[in-house]
Amino acid sequence: MDGDEQVDSITMLQAEVRQLRQAIASHIVVDQAIGVVIVVGRLAPKQGWDVLKDVSQHTNTKLRDVAGQVVEWANGGPLPETTRRALDTALDRAR
């Protein structure tokens, strides 16, 4: 392997590590949001996941972004009105 190939390989591995770190961080936030939804809606874990997916689809927002909004809301932050409406609707459907 020559120097250019080594540099290319290192660059690819660094990009992969960044992607994996981002995926882990997103997964943690999604899990936290599922917990919030479960508690707020008094739902089973599977239902919490389904509610988050439903909100994501109905607001045309990435799941990780919806999860971040829900976690922020649980910590006393604002919840965007479109997300709040979609969450209320999804919770009603899940119950």
Side-chain angles (χ1 to χ4, degrees):
M1 189 180 284
D2 69 10
D4 287 341
E5 289 174 327
Q6 287 178 337
V7 169
D8 289 345
S9 180
I10 290 170
T11 301
M12 286 181 4
L13 289 171
Q14 288 172 332
E16 186 175 345
V17 167
R18 276 191 303 276
Q19 290 171 349
L20 289 171
R21 285 183 177 157
Q22 183 179 24
I24 290 169
S26 293
H27 186 67
I28 290 168
V29 172
V30 169
D31 283 347
Q32 290 172 343
I34 290 170
V36 171
V37 170
I38 289 168
V39 170
V40 169
R42 298 180 181 176
L43 305 173
K46 167 86 171 77
Q47 290 173 301
W49 167 250
D50 291 341
V51 165
L52 277 184
K53 285 192 321 183
D54 193 25
V55 172
S56 173
Q57 291 171 351
H58 284 89
T59 61
N60 198 25
T61 306
K62 290 183 179 185
L63 183 73
R64 71 173 178 257
D65 294 337
V66 169
Q69 293 170 358
V70 169
V71 170
E72 183 178 335
W73 171 63
N75 287 312
L79 187 63
E81 187 58 34
T82 55
T83 303
R84 178 178 289 286
R85 281 194 308 268
L87 180 59
D88 288 343
T89 302
L91 286 170
D92 287 343
R93 275 196 294 269
R95 289 187 192 122

